[in-house]
Amino acid sequence: MIGQLGLRPALRQWPGARHDGSRSFLARPRAHEEDTMSGRRVEDLGAVAGAKKRAKREVGAELSAALREPTLREKVAAAWARKEALEHEAIVLDPVPFHHCIIPNFIQNEGFLEGLQKELLNLHFHEKCNDLYKFKQSDDLKKREEPHIAALRKVLFEEFRGWLSDVAQVQLEATIDLSCAKYEYTDNLLCHDDELEGRRIAFILYLVPPWDKSDGGTLDLFSTDDQFQPRLITKSLVPSWNSLAFFEVSPVSFHQVAEVVSKGKCRLSVSGWFHGSSLARPPRPIEPCLPRSPHIPRDHEILYDWINPAYLEMDSQAQIQEEFEDQSEILLKDFLKDDKFHLVCEALKKEGPSWSRRGPPNKRLYEKAEEESLPPVLKECMELFRSEAFFLLLSNFTGLKLHFLAPEEEGEETAVGDSLSKHSQGESSREETSRRGHTDESGETSDNEEGERKSGSSPPLCAGELRRWTKGCYTLVHDAEMAEFALDLLLFCGCEEWDVERGGFTSYIAKGEDEELLTVNPENNCLALVYRDRETLKFVKYINCRSSAQKATHPDRTAFWDFCFVYYE
């Protein structure tokens, strides 16, 4: 509030003045006239100082004159209620894909905006970076005393709040949510809906230099499917100086701030929410997990064909297990044989399977290989990670019970080849897998597996996919994500000289926290094993425009692939 800015002048202390305000002149005036002139000069100086202080106190923001016209307000309210589009030189309203408006020339006095911009740029900004966003943000502005910030706060949460209440026909509270954000090169805010208890209308006031869509930083609006999940970007709003965008917060208000790709521009904005009664939210859809299955009947020969022999030695496996049990994670470099890894990379780059987009974008965005389209070498590599022999090898690496032949007692050692050979002499691997509930060709589990699950005993399972990562790909931590005990496996391909400044790394965090527990960076032919509990979540960081920097000279370095598997005891 202007009257609460604390700008009252301190008592001016003239030379020779005492703190009680009385005068004690240091020299006798030469004449009465001089004393009179001196008094006038003092009065003049006081008048000038008072005028300056009044001017400072009188800093104010004025809304666009058009917004104060009752006729226009009534037109906007009628269009909002009927969910119809409205185009006017002072406001543009569009109900698709959800209610949103643009008000150009929101503040009508240009001088005020320049003063506001200076005050905002002098604020302290915090680096904000997690799975969802990367940008710089100020502290809450609700108590800032800078005159232009205070004046903006006043006009937003008094005059403009009343205007919005009339337009949206909803009682908006006096609650203030207001902050300043700076988006610079590679900064972004990924797909989300803004829904939080009490938020009713979101707004953004832009204070940007001349801006073009090619600079990035657009406010992208998503369409939704019949389950209220985001699908595709259907509209992108380009920020412009002194324009204000606002939209209704609802179960379908999915939006994002596209990555800023201009190296020389700053997307400065003031944003927040008006609060009121929330709209009813439909039940959240339950997303099916990736299909899980027991191991497939492949014996130890597949290990000798594919895996670096150093990792098949018992001493090496014992050392790996000791380190893994101490750290709950390990990186095994040069994991596949060189010739096999070369064939895999060539198949990914040249033959290539068919890829499908995996979403929805409020949870993930990357490409998944369609397994029916895999060339033979990639199909065999997928079989390696699903094979019975590999389940047992992972047991030896980690100490987890991922195979019924894995040692029960700590300190026992089981050679993969010997165990599977002895096992095959008695009951065949195929028969044992079937007995333990292997899925049939239709994908249905056997009656034995259902019985074991009901009794609390079930075979170790895995779920896996082959993924391609390019600019704009990511995964997010989300509310519906199931947190459970599991062993994650990642094998990276095609990431020569990958710079982690591009993103694409896998980050593990504690549930409810942003601080990273572990980061796994893409590295060629490196196998990462990470054991996580119910309090640990993971995401793949958004891949930014730096990934395209070498496109002209190294077109094969703008993307990478990984084999991603999760194993369950």
Side-chain angles (χ1 to χ4, degrees), residues 257-298:
V257 176
E259 178 187 1
V260 174
V261 297
S262 171
K263 292 185 178 180
K265 292 184 179 181
C266 172
R267 183 187 186 274
L268 184 71
S269 64
V270 179
S271 60
W273 295 271
F274 291 97
H275 289 247
S277 56
S278 300
L279 297 175
R281 172 181 274 280
R284 292 183 182 271
I286 298 175
E287 185 179 35
C289 299
L290 287 175
R292 301 178 184 181
S293 62
H295 57 65
I296 60 175
R298 296 291 299 273

Side-chain angles (χ1 to χ4, degrees), residues 209-447:
W211 204 274
D212 189 79
K213 188 173 183 179
S214 62
D215 295 319
T218 53
L219 179 62
D220 297 335
L221 311 182
F222 288 80
S223 62
T224 50
D225 60 22
D226 55 4
Q227 292 189 309
F228 305 100
Q229 292 296 288
R231 294 182 64 250
L232 300 171
I233 296 169
T234 59
K235 192 170 185 180
S236 294
L237 307 177
V238 179
S240 62
W241 175 263
N242 192 22
S243 67
L244 181 133
F246 70 88
F247 59 85
E248 184 176 48
V249 177
S250 74
V252 298
S253 57
F254 287 101
H255 60 284
Q256 70 176 18
V257 176
E259 178 187 1
V260 174
V261 297
S262 171
K263 292 185 178 180
K265 292 184 179 181
C266 172
R267 183 187 186 274
L268 184 71
S269 64
V270 179
S271 60
W273 295 271
F274 291 97
H275 289 247
S277 56
S278 300
L279 297 175
R281 172 181 274 280
R284 292 183 182 271
I286 298 175
E287 185 179 35
C289 299
L290 287 175
R292 301 178 184 181
S293 62
H295 57 65
I296 60 175
R298 296 291 299 273
D299 64 20
H300 60 281
E301 292 299 328
I302 195 172
L303 304 184
Y304 297 142
D305 288 344
W306 277 85
I307 296 175
N308 184 336
Y311 293 117
L312 300 180
E313 297 174 359
M314 288 306 303
D315 289 345
S316 175
Q317 292 174 27
Q319 184 177 348
I320 289 169
Q321 184 178 138
E322 182 179 354
E323 182 177 340
F324 183 86
E325 289 179 340
D326 182 52
Q327 301 292 331
S328 296
E329 54 92 9
I330 196 165
L331 299 176
L332 305 178
K333 299 190 176 184
D334 301 319
F335 184 72
L336 298 184
K337 288 182 174 181
D338 288 343
D339 59 336
K340 288 291 190 182
F341 184 72
H342 177 75
L343 289 173
V344 166
C345 291
E346 287 299 304
L348 287 168
K349 292 175 184 178
K350 293 183 178 178
E351 297 179 58
S354 298
W355 300 94
S356 61
R357 178 177 177 271
R358 185 144 191 258
N362 61 324
K363 297 175 182 177
R364 64 188 71 84
L365 184 61
Y366 61 84
E367 293 178 300
K368 175 187 175 183
E370 299 295 337
E371 292 203 32
E372 300 78 12
S373 69
L374 291 179
V377 67
L378 297 182
K379 193 171 290 185
E380 188 174 353
C381 191
M382 294 290 284
E383 290 178 359
L384 166 69
F385 296 122
R386 292 188 174 116
S387 69
E388 181 178 8
F390 196 77
F391 270 63
L392 183 54
L393 182 64
L394 286 179
S395 296
N396 287 353
F397 282 163
T398 64
L400 299 173
K401 188 70 174 174
L402 293 173
H403 193 281
F404 69 97
L405 291 177
E408 293 284 354
E409 300 296 330
E410 185 176 351
E412 283 188 46
E413 293 184 355
T414 303
V416 176
D418 291 345
S419 297
L420 292 179
S421 296
K422 291 175 183 176
H423 175 54
S424 63
Q425 292 172 7
E427 186 177 19
S428 72
S429 296
R430 184 178 300 276
E431 292 170 343
E432 177 63 22
T433 302
S434 175
R435 182 179 67 80
R436 296 179 61 81
H438 179 53
T439 54
D440 60 26
E441 291 182 0
S442 68
E444 298 295 326
T445 56
S446 69
D447 292 338

Side-chain angles (χ1 to χ4, degrees), residues 80-142:
W80 183 284
R82 293 194 298 264
K83 296 186 178 180
E84 294 177 351
L86 172 68
E87 288 198 26
H88 185 278
E89 61 181 6
I91 188 167
V92 178
L93 167 65
D94 192 348
V96 179
F98 50 85
H99 262 140
H100 65 278
C101 287
I102 298 292
I103 304 176
N105 303 313
F106 179 69
I107 300 294
Q108 70 176 20
N109 38 335
E110 185 67 24
F112 172 84
L113 292 168
E114 293 171 357
L116 175 64
Q117 184 186 46
K118 288 178 182 178
E119 289 180 359
L120 293 172
L121 290 174
N122 283 329
L123 296 173
H124 175 69
F125 287 84
H126 304 276
E127 295 276 356
K128 307 285 286 185
C129 186
N130 62 13
D131 61 316
L132 184 64
Y133 49 68
K134 175 183 170 289
F135 65 99
K136 298 177 182 67
Q137 187 178 45
S138 74
D139 290 327
D140 198 318
L141 300 181
K142 66 182 176 182

Side-chain angles (χ1 to χ4, degrees), residues 451-520:
E452 288 174 336
R453 289 190 183 283
K454 289 177 182 177
S455 66
S457 172
S458 62
L461 304 173
C462 79
E465 56 188 349
L466 172 57
R467 307 182 296 185
R468 179 166 68 180
W469 299 94
T470 58
K471 179 184 177 300
C473 291
Y474 58 87
T475 68
L476 299 176
V477 173
H478 51 88
D479 294 341
E481 184 173 1
M482 183 182 297
E484 54 189 323
F485 292 98
L487 175 68
D488 291 337
L489 176 149
L490 292 169
L491 178 75
F492 299 100
C493 305
C495 47
E496 299 92 342
E497 301 179 24
W498 186 264
D499 184 351
V500 294
E501 288 296 315
R502 305 173 188 175
F505 53 84
T506 301
S507 181
Y508 287 82
I509 60 173
K511 193 173 183 180
E513 303 290 338
D514 282 347
E515 185 177 354
E516 290 182 337
L517 303 173
L518 172 70
T519 299
V520 179

